[in-house]
Structures are given as C-alpha cells and as structure tokens.
Amino acid sequence: MELGPMLRDVALFSQLSERQLSGLVETAVVRRHPRGTQVFSAGEDADCFLLVAQGALKVYLLSGDGREHILHIAEAGDLVAEGAVFAQGTYPASAMAIEDSVVVHFYRDRLVALLRAEPELALALLAGLSQRLRQFVATIEDLSLRDVTARLARYLLENSKGGFCRLTGTKTQLAAQLGTVLEPLSRSFRRLKEDGLICEHKGGIALLDEKGLRALVDGF
Amino acid sequence: MELGPMLRDVALFSQLSERQLSGLVETAVVRRHPRGTQVFSAGEDADCFLLVAQGALKVYLLSGDGREHILHIAEAGDLVAEGAVFAQGTYPASAMAIEDSVVVHFYRDRLVALLRAEPELALALLAGLSQRLRQFVATIEDLSLRDVTARLARYLLENSKGGFCRLTGTKTQLAAQLGTVLEPLSRSFRRLKEDGLICEHKGGIALLDEKGLRALVDGF
DNA sequence: CGTTGCGTTGATCTCTATCAAAAAAGGTGG
DNA sequence: CCACCTTTTTTGATAGAGATCAACGCAACG
C-alpha cells in the first residue's frame, strides 16, 4: 500500500510539501486490524494518533458493568485520537475495529515537530478539534437535556442527505451511540413512525417531516 | 486596567513577544459584565473568544423546557470559547456572568493571524483544546454510564486538594454541572455521608475514604 | 421579625433499563 | 429453492433511577 499518495487525500495533509509528507510517513506504522481487534484501550499512554485507511473503527467508553457508549465511528479517511495526543496523558477512550481495517499510526513527536514548521497544519488541526468539540457538546446536550426519541430525531437530521438517512451499523450500535440500548431505541423508532415523521426502508430512514423532527429536538 | 501585564499571567500568552502581545491587545475589547449578565448566547456567530479577567462565568446549555446544564465555570485567568472560534460557525453554548466580572474579548481574525507567525502558541492552544476535549469525554462518560452518586464522587475526587473539596457555588449549580437537579443531588450527598465516605463542613467536603469514592466511580 | 433564597426530606410519576419471549432478517449448505 | 441456524429486532412486562411536586427547616438580610 502506497502511503504518500493516500495521505494526499486526507484534508488535513493536503497542503503539505512532499518533504513534510515523507517526514510524517517515515515514522508512521501501518497496521492491519481484523474485525473485532482492539486498536488501543482507554488508559494507555496516548503517544499516537491514527488515520483509518480502510475499514472502520468504533471509539467507545466502557462502564464498570460492561455498558458501552460509542463516541463516534471513524471510517476511511477519518482521524482518530488527534485530540488525545496533544495534552500528554492517556487515551480517554478505547478503539476497536468493527470491520477488517487498515490503520496508519503517527507518532506524536513527529507531528509536533511538523507543527512548529507548518502553521497551516496547526490551524487545520485546530479547526478539526474545534469541530470535534462541537460534536461533544451536542452529545452532552443530548444526554443531559433530551429524551431518547429527541436524540434519535437529532441523529437522523444530522446524518441525512436529501431527506434520507442511511443506517450503517446495527441498531444496537446506534443505541450505544445515543446513550441508550436497543429496546428503548426500537420504541422510539416506532413512535416516530406512528407520528408520520419517518418511514423505514431497508438500509435507511426516509425523513417525512423534517420540521416535525426539528420541533422534537428543540423540545416541542 | 492594564491589559498587557495581565495577559502575561495567562499561561497561553506567557511566551509571546511584546510586539505579538500588543498585536493581540490592539483589537481586544474589555467589557464589564455585572452578575447575571449574558455574555454570549448559543447560536450567535462565534467571532470572539474570551479571557475572564475578574469574576466568573458559567458556560451552559439550555433545554427547550428551561433546564440548564453547566458545561464549566470559568474563573479569573480562564479562557472561554477558545474551541468554538476555530471552526467558523456559532457558539454551541451560552455564557453568563455569575459574579460581577471583567472579560476581555479577542477577535478570531487577529488570533489566526498571530497563530501563523507563532507555532508555539498554536501548540499551546492545541494542548488546551485537547484538555477540554478530555473533560468533555469525561462528562459524556458520567452522563451515559454513571449514576448521580458516582458522578458526585468523581467531582469530589477531581476537585479536591489534600482530601478536601471546596464548594464554590450553590448546590443547585453543582447539580446543573452534574446533569441533574438539586433534590437527587442532595440524596446522593446523604448516601456518601451515611457510607462514611465524606463529611460535610461549611464551605466544603472532607473526603474520608478516597479509595471508596474511587470504587464508586469505577462502578464498584 | 418577616422575607427570600437555598437545602433537606417525603411522595409520586415518568422515563428508561432489564428480563423474557417471539418474530424478522440474513446466511449457509444441502 | 428450501430448511436450518444465527443474529438482529420487535414487543410485552417489570423494576429501578431520577425528575417533579409539595412541605418544611434554615440561614442571611433588610
């Protein structure tokens, strides 16, 4: 697998010079992670950030009694743990391959060195972290201030294109992303269907009444 | 109020040259915010980040039916909205002065210009955002995977020095930080006291059994 | 002293997790 | 194409955590 050209396609790296890119590639490690493999675990020293080249990872939290909350799913082209790497410390979450995946590991020190020379890269990273921060704030808002049905409505609106939302993983997985479990989520789906707000097709959800969904999200 | 010297005391700005500092100060706006005043509101264009010079702000989310979740309290020397400013867009949360406060407003454009010239500043900001990201992940973990008592235990451990945790605001405020309301929080306090884990003094909480508290946080 | 805001306690109600079972949906191999 | 198996999803019944409502105690303060 050619690493250099692939990195070109990642928005974050698109403006780097050949030399800078190869500087990154030099210490990068490419690893295959079969489905179900642990990529890193919460509590480990956070010395790398990752680029998903193929497949998909889930980044998740685990409770003492085994419940799981999925922070986000990273697919091909997405970065993982870009945030954790800057304040030295440990990964606050774990990551596991949910498909057979290829992952590029970049070492912190190399990145930091590159950042000193390349302010544009730093700005791009700041923008990326800023985005992630927004996403987390939205999640906190969901968990603290909205019920499961409203969270589902928000998810559908957020992840739809042209009135249709493709569901990638299983509903169990979606439940873990919304901070709940399968059964309550299933009931929320039913409520939205009964109220005529959505319609379920195989492979996704059609949003019939986006205004109605938005009203739900905002609390009537 | 002399702005220059004050900024020197902020970790983020401590390594800037005089010229860079005055470049920031030039476009900065100092504003007084009496207690109870709105500093910015969720949804407004995020063109500034703030430094609290005196007093304290609460940064919070509001639900449709008026419930409030406090993301964090920013006191003198703390930055606010440093994250929101890099991905152009709107503030995801609101901020209000909870004491008579003095706040310095910095404009995004000026900061971005400075970042291009000063990679160390960018690195410091990245570290700061990284820290904030960690905090938010911890909050998500709390809300999704821990009950109120465990959240309280974590808060006490996190904010204690030498086995003692000062409570700054009211308990109503603390409840809003932990994603609950006063009554359940009060019961959680009682449980911790009954189990001999803490002891309440006026002005703060003594942690009698940190190991026991940690066990609670980790889910027994 | 009364007022006002804050905290505690008790009683109820709502939402969600859990448990259990059945129904769909997908694959596999014949 | 079908029988069979696994996985996922739906539905029902129950239980538990926490929000809400109401009443009361308590302190600060005019």
Side-chain angles (χ1 to χ4, degrees):
Chain A
M1 157 149 329
E2 280 308 319
L3 204 49
M6 200 191 67
L7 295 191
R8 277 264 164 262
D9 294 339
V10 179
L12 186 66
F13 300 134
S14 58
Q15 292 160 14
L16 295 181
S17 71
E18 277 305 324
R19 211 164 52 84
Q20 290 171 330
L21 208 56
S22 60
L24 253 186
V25 169
E26 237 170 64
T27 58
V29 175
V30 180
R31 226 170 269 170
R32 313 198 144 271
H33 286 281
R35 180 181 182 178
T37 313
Q38 200 73 22
V39 181
F40 58 79
S41 295
E44 291 175 6
D45 184 45
D47 55 349
C48 277
F49 75 103
L50 316 179
L51 170 67
V52 181
Q54 276 179 36
L57 309 185
K58 69 175 173 188
V59 179
Y60 64 99
L61 303 167
L62 228 50
S63 76
D65 60 326
R67 278 233 338 246
E68 162 183 297
H69 181 101
I70 298 181
L71 285 172
H72 68 279
I73 306 274
E75 304 182 311
D78 292 339
L79 294 179
V80 174
E82 352 81 280
V85 113
F86 287 103
Q88 70 270 54
T90 62
Y91 293 116
S94 306
M96 176 181 284
I98 54 175
E99 300 174 15
D100 292 340
S101 302
V102 176
V103 178
V104 189
H105 295 241
F106 298 100
Y107 286 88
R108 171 184 28 206
D109 301 341
R110 181 60 59 131
L111 178 68
V112 168
L114 187 53
L115 285 176
R116 283 185 220 278
E118 200 45 61
E120 286 309 318
L121 181 59
L123 282 173
L125 261 172
L126 280 168
L129 289 200
S130 193
Q131 202 50 46
R132 186 60 50 87
L133 225 29
R134 265 165 214 279
Q135 179 209 322
F136 283 168
V137 169
T139 298
I140 291 171
E141 196 168 1
D142 265 3
L143 294 173
S144 184
L145 303 173
R146 285 195 261 267
D147 64 24
V148 171
T149 307
R151 287 179 224 165
L152 173 57
R154 197 181 75 78
Y155 177 90
L156 293 173
L157 286 167
E158 207 73 24
N159 296 81
S160 65
K161 290 185 184 69
F164 189 79
C165 178
R166 287 193 55 185
L167 296 184
T168 55
T170 68
K171 287 190 178 177
T172 306
Q173 222 169 72
L174 178 57
Q177 278 182 75
L178 297 179
T180 182
V181 291
L182 180 60
E183 297 92 324
L185 179 65
S186 181
R187 292 177 229 273
S188 287
F189 265 115
R190 183 152 57 101
R191 242 163 279 158
L192 293 185
K193 279 184 274 188
E194 284 172 356
D195 295 351
L197 298 175
I198 65 171
C199 175
E200 204 162 0
H201 296 142
K202 64 182 169 210
I205 305 290
L207 311 194
L208 303 179
D209 179 0
E210 303 205 11
K211 185 169 285 185
L213 289 170
R214 238 174 280 280
L216 253 181
V217 172
D218 298 339
F220 311 118
Chain B
M1 158 152 325
E2 280 308 317
L3 205 47
M6 201 190 67
L7 294 190
R8 277 263 165 264
D9 295 338
V10 179
L12 186 65
F13 301 134
S14 58
Q15 292 160 15
L16 295 182
S17 70
E18 277 304 323
R19 210 164 51 85
Q20 290 170 331
L21 208 56
S22 60
L24 254 187
V25 169
E26 238 170 64
T27 57
V29 175
V30 180
R31 227 170 268 168
R32 315 199 142 270
H33 285 283
R35 180 179 184 179
T37 313
Q38 200 74 22
V39 180
F40 59 78
S41 294
E44 292 175 6
D45 183 46
D47 56 348
C48 278
F49 75 102
L50 315 180
L51 170 67
V52 180
Q54 276 180 35
L57 309 186
K58 68 175 174 190
V59 180
Y60 64 98
L61 303 166
L62 229 48
S63 76
D65 59 327
R67 279 231 340 244
E68 161 184 296
H69 181 101
I70 298 181
L71 285 173
H72 68 280
I73 306 274
E75 304 181 312
D78 292 340
L79 294 179
V80 174
E82 352 80 280
V85 111
F86 287 104
Q88 70 270 51
T90 61
Y91 293 116
S94 306
M96 177 181 285
I98 55 175
E99 299 174 14
D100 293 338
S101 303
V102 176
V103 178
V104 188
H105 295 240
F106 298 100
Y107 285 88
R108 169 179 36 201
D109 301 339
R110 181 59 61 131
L111 178 68
V112 169
L114 186 54
L115 285 175
R116 283 186 220 278
E118 199 47 59
E120 287 309 318
L121 181 59
L123 282 173
L125 260 172
L126 280 167
L129 289 200
S130 195
Q131 203 49 48
R132 186 61 50 86
L133 225 30
R134 267 167 212 280
Q135 178 209 324
F136 283 168
V137 170
T139 299
I140 292 171
E141 196 167 1
D142 265 2
L143 294 173
S144 185
L145 302 174
R146 285 196 261 266
D147 63 24
V148 171
T149 307
R151 286 178 224 165
L152 173 57
R154 197 181 75 78
Y155 177 90
L156 293 174
L157 286 167
E158 205 74 23
N159 296 81
S160 65
K161 291 185 184 69
F164 188 79
C165 178
R166 288 192 55 184
L167 297 184
T168 53
T170 67
K171 288 190 177 177
T172 305
Q173 221 168 73
L174 177 56
Q177 277 182 77
L178 297 179
T180 182
V181 292
L182 180 60
E183 298 92 324
L185 178 65
S186 180
R187 291 177 232 272
S188 287
F189 265 114
R190 183 152 57 101
R191 244 163 275 160
L192 294 184
K193 278 184 277 187
E194 283 172 358
D195 294 351
L197 299 175
I198 65 171
C199 175
E200 202 162 359
H201 296 142
K202 63 182 170 211
I205 306 289
L207 312 194
L208 303 180
D209 179 1
E210 303 205 11
K211 185 169 285 185
L213 289 170
R214 238 174 281 279
L216 252 182
V217 171
D218 299 338
F220 309 117

